[in-house]
Amino acid sequence: MKHFFSPHGHGGGLQPGLGPFGPGKVYPSPSSPCGGPAVPAVRASYPIYQLGNPQLRIFRPNFFMTLVRPGVPQPEDTVQFRISMQMTRVDVKNYLEKIYNVPVSVVRTRIQYGANNKRNHKNQKVKIPDYKVAYVQLGQGQTFQFPNLFPEKEETPEPGSIEDIQKQFMENEKQRQRADPRRGGVTDWFGL
Amino acid sequence: MAAPRGWRLVRHGRCQLLHTKPSVVPPQSLYPPVVASHTAKSKSAKRLRLEYFYQKVHEAPSIEEKLRLYGVLQRPKYVVYPQTFSLNADRWYQSFTKTVFVPGPPPAREQPAGRADPPLSELRSLVCDALLQEHFYQRKRERPFLYREQEHIPAPFLTQLVSSLTAALGSHNPLLTTSCLDLKPQVNFYWERGETVVCRGYRTGRVDPVRFQIDDKPHVQIRVPKQLPEFVPLDYSVPGEVPVINHQPDKLPLFKRQYDNKIFIGSKVADPCSYGHTQFHLIPDKLKRERLLKANLADQIEVVYRANGIASLFAWTAAQALYQGFWCEADVTRPFVSQAVITDGKYFAFFCYQLNTLALTVRADQDNPRKNICWGTESKPLYEAVEDNNVKGFNDEILLHLVRFLLNTPEEL
């Protein structure tokens, strides 16, 4: 069953007597502190469905999408997202096209089941939450590569600083511990 | 001092054996050759079992037995659909089948003298008749159900077009008089390409070939008893590259299934018409031009035609080659050529395929410079519109192309 997401508070500029969904019942917008989808108490009433009418109306959606690094290498035009369980591939496409102006060709989704066999200190089963993954193929020949967020930096300490002296000292100590290279790897158990 | 003298003598003798050719041929060994074990759990034993299997297939008494042994081992394989909604499927299919795609028609062959061109006006009237019959004259009572519009009007039009044109051109191309016209035949092919490591299951960690299967159903096909002539020589180096894709086929997306490894050209092995002439494909409703344009996938329209042409023709030509006794370890000694026309009722695209190599497995492809070649055109409309009683904007080029396709025949008959 689809959940209808409520806008946060009443939108400014709406005429009195009209709810946020047009003439119909106005239902309270429950506050959702944790940012999850909120189910309204009373569903808004729309005219009867006829061929061509919109089937799902979402205003200011309460969805969230997370761009993730793919665990398995993906083709260049594929971007991987973790999306809300209630989203569909049509929602993902509209979300990216309308809010972020990203041209999207095709979206494929799957649900990753989180296992339920971990146990806590009371031997109760602990469930890892399920999540939905979306693979978005970009349009107009665009490509995307997930960036390296933690590049390794070569730390060259400035000469004269404490780190430099420490580093030099540690290197000298390691050099003293190493065996004589002229012995060719033979330990000093043998020989004089 | 016996030992040093003996050592020197032996050394001298050995040096002589190394640098001079033996004048006497060594006698036949009394003992059988030393080979690896057949049943041990070792790499050399696995190699030997493979060699025995290949030998068994080489020495199969009949083609049916050879085909049976070729696909006797059933394992999960990727099912390749020629008519697919996947994006950029034509590049992936080219890499699966080692095909170079060359846009444009194939190199023209010299026309032998004394062959008159068929009258285009008669053929044009035949085509217009078939078009008007389906679009205007025949009253179709039922409204087409969802995703079944193609079989309402374009499908019967295509069948009528092919059968009437083939019958009309029989006098100009005697090969067509001995041909076989199949309606909705099955064309299947199974092959292996590349290697991968099994990641899940009881066979984890083992290196396995990547298996593919095509199960195609062209709308109409023409089979002939003689092979069409080649467009280019067998070892011709095509100016073009086979695209190399370093991702798993799963990412296309392509899915695995395990079932019978079938190889079929449309008729069984004993049929005399065992070579292919032309296939006619109809684009399904879900891949129609209007749907792709509505979904903002205008650049994928040509991709659909190309992927269909490459996959279907590769499966057909390769199955024909297997029917003649060739397989990946016994590569083809002559090229196998077939043609295809892919249409959605209004737009026509023409494809020619030349199969130069069947050796696509890792072992057989190590020193194989040959590549398969596919020539293809862009899709062009046959007519602009059909209004009431007449066809507006009939394109004669498409008709000419179609006629040339059907008139394609080997020189000596």
Side-chain angles (χ1 to χ4, degrees):
Chain A
M1 199 169 75
K2 288 256 171 18
H3 295 286
F4 285 88
F5 298 101
S6 63
H8 294 292
H10 295 289
L14 275 176
Q15 292 170 20
L18 277 177
F21 288 88
K25 292 185 197 161
V26 177
Y27 55 86
S29 53
S31 61
S32 42
C34 42
V39 180
V42 174
R43 199 171 295 183
S45 66
Y46 294 121
I48 191 124
Y49 174 74
Q50 287 164 322
L51 190 76
N53 287 4
Q55 286 178 288
L56 182 67
R57 301 151 216 253
I58 300 176
F59 303 93
R60 292 191 288 170
N62 208 359
F63 293 138
F64 300 96
M65 288 173 62
T66 319
L67 224 193
V68 294
R69 176 195 298 280
V72 179
Q74 296 284 342
E76 291 80 30
D77 61 346
T78 306
V79 191
Q80 191 166 332
F81 289 91
R82 281 199 193 180
I83 59 179
S84 160
M85 284 288 266
Q86 282 76 27
M87 277 176 94
T88 60
R89 55 187 69 193
V90 180
D91 291 334
V92 170
K93 186 165 172 168
N94 290 341
Y95 192 101
L96 287 174
E97 277 177 342
K98 302 216 153 93
I99 302 180
Y100 291 97
N101 288 329
V102 171
V104 168
S105 299
V106 142
V107 179
R108 293 186 293 275
T109 56
R110 69 175 177 94
I111 294 184
Q112 177 60 54
Y113 169 73
N116 197 10
N117 27 21
K118 284 227 169 89
R119 299 217 178 222
N120 61 6
H121 62 280
K122 295 184 190 171
N123 206 28
Q124 295 161 339
K125 278 203 186 164
V126 174
K127 159 91 180 160
I128 296 173
D130 303 330
Y131 55 89
K132 203 179 239 193
V133 182
Y135 301 93
V136 174
Q137 280 193 291
L138 301 171
Q140 292 163 19
Q142 290 186 5
T143 58
F144 177 77
Q145 190 66 32
F146 196 88
N148 185 7
L149 297 172
F150 307 105
E152 282 161 15
K153 262 195 282 193
E154 278 246 5
E155 283 180 7
T156 44
E158 39 176 271
S161 69
I162 300 172
E163 284 93 18
D164 190 31
I165 297 167
Q166 268 180 338
K167 200 166 140 200
Q168 284 289 317
F169 177 73
M170 290 310 297
E171 273 180 28
N172 289 340
E173 281 297 315
K174 279 190 199 150
Q175 179 60 43
R176 284 179 60 202
Q177 295 294 324
R178 268 186 228 124
D180 190 354
R182 292 172 293 183
R183 289 180 63 79
V186 179
T187 55
D188 54 5
W189 273 88
F190 306 104
L192 301 163
Chain B
M1 298 302 283
R5 216 188 296 135
W7 175 75
R8 236 184 292 129
L9 272 170
V10 165
R11 187 167 157 246
H12 189 62
R14 206 168 278 165
C15 280
Q16 264 190 337
L17 277 169
L18 274 175
H19 294 291
T20 58
K21 279 192 204 150
S23 49
V24 179
V25 175
Q28 281 269 310
S29 171
L30 296 168
Y31 300 97
V34 177
V35 292
S37 158
H38 186 267
T39 49
K41 195 181 165 188
S42 66
K43 288 187 192 148
S44 48
K46 173 103 176 95
R47 260 182 272 131
L48 190 73
R49 284 195 291 272
L50 259 181
E51 291 293 337
Y52 282 162
F53 171 69
Y54 292 152
Q55 222 174 339
K56 219 162 109 180
V57 181
H58 280 295
E59 289 159 11
S62 67
I63 303 277
E64 286 96 341
E65 183 61 22
K66 207 177 251 203
L67 289 179
R68 189 193 74 83
L69 285 173
Y70 177 72
V72 72
L73 180 65
Q74 272 192 28
R75 280 271 148 78
K77 57 194 173 177
Y78 288 109
V79 183
V80 174
Y81 291 95
Q83 294 175 330
T84 175
F85 48 76
S86 319
L87 303 188
N88 299 327
D90 61 336
R91 287 194 71 240
W92 287 82
Y93 288 3
Q94 279 177 64
S95 82
F96 296 154
T97 59
K98 205 181 177 192
T99 313
V100 177
F101 183 79
V102 180
R109 244 176 274 123
E110 299 162 5
Q111 284 292 321
R115 191 172 290 177
D117 270 330
L120 265 186
S121 50
E122 285 179 17
L123 302 170
R124 196 185 304 128
S125 63
L126 274 175
V127 173
C128 289
D129 275 342
L131 253 181
L132 289 172
Q133 172 72 13
E134 297 308 327
H135 282 259
F136 179 67
Y137 288 121
Q138 187 174 39
R139 192 167 136 216
K140 314 258 179 183
R141 285 175 192 272
E142 306 127 2
R143 266 222 309 236
F145 193 66
L146 185 64
Y147 297 134
R148 283 171 70 158
E149 282 162 13
Q150 289 292 88
E151 54 184 80
H152 215 242
I153 292 175
F157 158 62
L158 189 61
T159 326
Q160 182 59 39
L161 175 84
V162 174
S163 37
S164 52
L165 278 183
T166 318
L169 291 170
S171 51
H172 297 267
N173 184 2
L175 186 70
L176 289 178
T177 52
T178 53
S179 68
C180 225
L181 191 81
D182 298 329
L183 300 171
K184 298 235 179 77
Q186 281 220 359
V187 172
N188 312 76
F189 186 62
Y190 164 80
W191 79 103
E192 294 169 355
R193 170 116 170 113
E195 261 176 3
T196 180
V197 177
V198 182
C199 58
R200 236 178 354 154
Y202 72 95
R203 303 187 72 238
T204 306
R206 295 177 213 194
V207 172
D208 232 16
V210 183
R211 303 177 186 89
F212 298 94
Q213 169 87 37
I214 290 186
D215 297 319
D216 189 20
K217 260 197 149 183
H219 190 72
V220 187
Q221 80 180 15
I222 302 174
R223 277 178 300 111
V224 288
K226 279 197 180 262
Q227 176 65 65
L228 286 176
E230 59 186 30
F231 291 113
V232 291
L234 188 63
D235 289 309
Y236 178 72
S237 59
V238 196
E241 285 300 316
V242 178
V244 173
I245 299 183
N246 293 323
H247 291 101
Q248 294 280 341
D250 293 290
K251 308 283 171 253
L252 174 58
L254 216 53
F255 299 99
K256 279 192 165 180
R257 249 195 303 155
Q258 178 173 324
Y259 58 102
D260 195 31
N261 298 332
K262 192 168 173 194
I263 292 166
F264 199 61
I265 62 165
S267 62
K268 294 193 181 166
V269 182
D271 194 289
C273 292
S274 55
Y275 291 100
H277 190 272
T278 322
Q279 267 184 346
F280 291 82
H281 292 263
L282 198 60
I283 301 266
D285 289 274
K286 296 207 177 169
L287 299 173
K288 279 199 303 199
R289 208 164 265 258
E290 296 83 32
R291 262 179 78 91
L292 290 176
L293 285 170
K294 210 165 79 164
N296 267 337
L297 293 170
D299 46 341
Q300 298 295 319
I301 296 175
E302 291 305 320
V303 168
V304 165
Y305 286 91
R306 284 201 293 263
N308 196 353
I310 292 172
S312 300
L313 283 174
F314 169 76
W316 204 26
T317 46
Q320 288 166 44
L322 253 71
Y323 268 36
Q324 301 305 314
F326 302 106
W327 58 297
C328 50
E329 293 295 317
D331 209 356
V332 294
T333 50
R334 55 182 201 277
F336 282 77
V337 168
S338 287
Q339 302 166 132
V341 177
I342 302 182
T343 173
D344 68 345
K346 186 171 164 190
Y347 289 82
F348 281 71
F350 300 91
F351 293 88
C352 302
Y353 198 92
Q354 176 160 328
L355 185 88
N356 292 327
T357 175
L358 266 182
L360 302 172
T361 54
V362 167
R363 182 194 140 108
D365 203 19
Q366 269 162 7
D367 303 307
N368 188 13
R370 299 192 209 160
K371 295 174 216 168
N372 304 322
I373 315 170
C374 182
W375 290 272
T377 62
E378 298 219 331
S379 55
K380 294 198 184 95
L382 178 66
Y383 57 91
E384 293 290 331
V386 176
E387 279 172 30
D388 286 345
N389 209 0
N390 47 1
V391 176
K392 293 242 165 83
F394 193 87
N395 192 348
D396 275 333
E397 284 176 23
I398 306 281
L399 181 61
L400 195 61
H401 217 139
L402 204 60
V403 164
R404 264 194 235 128
F405 257 38
L406 287 172
L407 287 179
N408 199 357
T409 176
E411 273 108 33
E412 358 61 41
L413 259 187

